[in-house]
Amino acid sequence: MKAKQIRFFSQNENSETKQSKTKTEAKPTPATGYISTAGKVVFPNKTIDQLGFDPQDSWFKVGTQEGKRKIKSLFLVPGTSGQEEVFELEKAAKSYSISLPYILQKGGIDYSNTKHTFTVKPFDYDGNVQGFELKLASDTPKAAYTGKPRGRKRAAATAEQNTVT
């Protein structure tokens, strides 16, 4: 046997002190929230802490992507109380919320019948302002496709038809 094919052990590999596993760093959980049945965008206290802004004096401009009919994500950009297009973050029992029932309804979100959740991701707005993107997700599964099948027929289906006739 050649010397290159043999792996020799050391004394350290045979002791228990060396065998401790290294801890892997836990991935940070994404900041999340939901839309209530009353049409409020709700941020739990945990999400507010993760985002790192003062909820007592928070005003936000709320918007969506221009040119889209259905809302897939909302954008929150910090503003001041004197501005015209801002919404106030209101305190609830264990969360903070922004009331947007008519905007959500016009955007095609059925919040009264379906529970919608969102993940919050920070983004840079105009270079020096940090805004937040709320990417919406629905809890209901997608409806099954009921249309006519397209494309080539399967080989198994054609083989069964040939044997029957």
Side-chain angles (χ1 to χ4, degrees):
M1 187 169 270
K2 295 182 182 180
K4 293 181 182 178
Q5 294 177 345
I6 300 173
R7 179 182 172 270
F8 292 101
F9 297 103
S10 68
Q11 289 290 334
N12 292 338
E13 289 178 321
N14 196 28
S15 66
E16 290 183 30
T17 58
K18 182 72 175 176
Q19 298 295 332
S20 64
K21 292 184 178 180
T22 59
K23 290 185 178 180
T24 58
E25 292 183 23
K27 293 182 180 178
T29 57
T32 59
Y34 63 94
I35 297 176
S36 71
T37 56
K40 293 182 179 183
V41 177
V42 180
F43 300 97
N45 286 339
K46 180 178 77 171
T47 301
I48 296 290
D49 293 339
Q50 283 180 332
L51 297 177
F53 61 85
D54 182 25
Q56 300 300 329
D57 187 33
S58 290
W59 296 80
F60 290 101
K61 293 181 186 178
V62 179
T64 61
Q65 191 173 1
E66 195 169 342
K68 302 287 183 183
R69 290 184 189 176
K70 191 165 182 171
I71 296 175
K72 293 191 179 180
S73 52
L74 289 169
F75 297 96
L76 301 179
V77 177
T80 58
S81 62
Q83 291 179 332
E84 199 173 295
E85 303 169 334
V86 293
F87 294 89
E88 184 178 8
L89 196 64
E90 300 168 353
K91 172 75 174 144
K94 295 182 180 179
S95 60
Y96 291 89
S97 63
I98 299 174
S99 183
L100 303 170
Y102 299 110
I103 293 172
L104 295 173
Q105 195 172 28
K106 286 180 184 177
I109 297 176
D110 185 19
Y111 55 83
S112 59
N113 296 326
T114 314
K115 181 165 182 166
H116 293 277
T117 58
F118 56 83
T119 57
V120 182
K121 293 183 182 178
F123 72 96
D124 289 331
Y125 180 73
D126 282 344
N128 58 355
V129 178
Q130 183 182 22
F132 302 101
E133 178 184 5
L134 313 179
K135 184 97 171 148
L136 295 173
S138 176
D139 287 348
T140 58
K142 189 174 178 180
Y145 179 71
T146 57
K148 185 177 177 181
R150 304 282 180 192
R152 292 185 177 187
K153 295 182 180 178
R154 294 185 182 174
T158 58
E160 289 176 14
Q161 290 175 352
N162 290 341
T163 57
V164 173
T165 55

